[in-house]
Amino acid sequence: MSNEIIFGGAERVPDVRMLYDMAEVIYDKKWLEGRENEELYYMYRDLSQNPDDLEKIQSHNLRYDITIIPPAMLGVEYVKTAGHYHPQVPGSNLSYAEVYQVHEGNATYLLQKVNDGKVEDVVVVEASAMDVVVVPPGYGHITINASDSTLIMANWVCRDFSSVYEPVRNKKGGAYYLLEDGFIQNSAYSQVPGIRHVKPMDVPEFGLFSGEDMYGLVEDLSRLEFLKMPEKYTDIFSQILNE
């Protein structure tokens, strides 16, 4: 596939996630040998439909991105993102939140919450076109494309931080791998709870609805304050992932 996309009438060039970037977190190490230079997926960051939108987005310390994950098998494992956590918000005991929306294809989001090195919760959300999925504070996350179609998804996130990849790399991946035969526990984690399966849900308080393009929130970016100040929205976060 061509790596460039057109967004807002302009050609956008991605950051490319290479297989060698993922070597530590891939389950099938034998398959990995000699394949490190393959491209896996594409990240288009800091997008906007026009210069005025970009100015508004940046003035609110936000960022709108698109990620494209072509279908692939990493040996016996489905293609996935590297996985990361978010740092704590300065002056708060909560980490930054994030929100995703599937535009094309299907996504399997693996979310995991760790406290003092112990995994307390593992949630899987399977999302299809135009579903929205909020990643609450405290959860690391991995996106998996377990289909034979290209996954295109967007995200809104605070632009004030860098994602934290080391904890996932140090554990050789998430708490579970998704293989052809289903999920299998990652033995690098000593104790892991069972997976809770949760459906994508609308969050009206944040202006997030399945079927509505969340880029439209550029017209009211105050609705995305939860991405920067999660401590103001703990009641709402407590309802997310708790079906």
Side-chain angles (χ1 to χ4, degrees), residues 10-218:
E11 186 176 81
R12 314 288 181 158
V13 178
D15 294 329
V16 181
R17 184 72 74 199
M18 303 294 292
L19 193 51
Y20 60 71
D21 297 317
M22 303 274 290
E24 297 92 338
V25 303
I26 289 176
Y27 174 78
D28 194 341
K29 294 295 193 293
K30 183 176 181 180
W31 171 87
L32 180 64
E33 295 175 5
R35 300 176 181 269
E36 290 84 355
N37 288 322
E38 295 181 13
E39 297 181 0
L40 279 188
Y41 60 94
Y42 309 94
M43 300 163 285
Y44 306 81
R45 296 191 171 101
D46 217 6
L47 302 179
S48 66
Q49 289 288 1
N50 55 64
D52 288 343
D53 282 0
L54 183 60
E55 183 178 354
K56 285 194 292 185
I57 293 167
Q58 293 180 343
S59 70
H60 281 76
N61 293 326
L62 295 170
R63 199 181 73 222
Y64 182 84
D65 308 326
I66 286 177
T67 301
I68 297 180
I69 307 177
M73 294 302 299
L74 310 178
V76 297
E77 183 182 12
Y78 288 104
V79 65
K80 63 184 180 181
T81 59
H84 64 263
Y85 292 86
H86 298 162
Q88 282 191 349
V89 178
S92 168
N93 62 353
L94 298 177
S95 63
Y96 290 94
E98 190 166 5
V99 58
Y100 287 88
Q101 184 170 49
V102 175
H103 282 190
E104 294 183 19
N106 296 278
T108 300
Y109 295 99
L110 175 70
L111 284 64
Q112 60 184 49
K113 186 175 185 179
V114 176
N115 188 17
D116 292 330
K118 180 180 178 181
V119 181
E120 294 184 337
D121 191 25
V122 179
V123 177
V124 165
V125 186
E126 295 184 0
S128 55
M130 301 311 291
D131 284 338
V132 290
V133 176
V134 173
V135 179
Y139 282 83
H141 53 99
I142 296 167
T143 305
I144 305 163
N145 182 2
S147 75
D148 57 2
S149 300
T150 296
L151 168 61
I152 302 177
M153 63 183 182
N155 67 279
W156 281 108
V157 68
C158 179
R159 69 188 302 116
D160 287 345
F161 73 88
S162 297
S163 297
V164 181
Y165 292 91
E166 287 77 12
V168 179
R169 288 176 180 158
N170 291 342
K171 288 292 189 179
K172 302 179 182 179
Y176 289 87
Y177 302 103
L178 181 52
L179 311 184
E180 291 176 303
D181 295 330
F183 283 100
I184 183 172
Q185 184 179 328
N186 180 349
S187 61
Y189 292 80
S190 57
Q191 291 183 322
V192 176
I195 294 173
R196 295 193 300 115
H197 291 268
V198 174
K199 295 179 181 179
M201 62 182 69
D202 296 343
V203 188
E205 297 89 344
F206 298 158
L208 298 170
F209 300 93
S210 177
E212 294 185 11
D213 190 340
M214 69 178 188
Y215 181 86
L217 291 172
V218 71

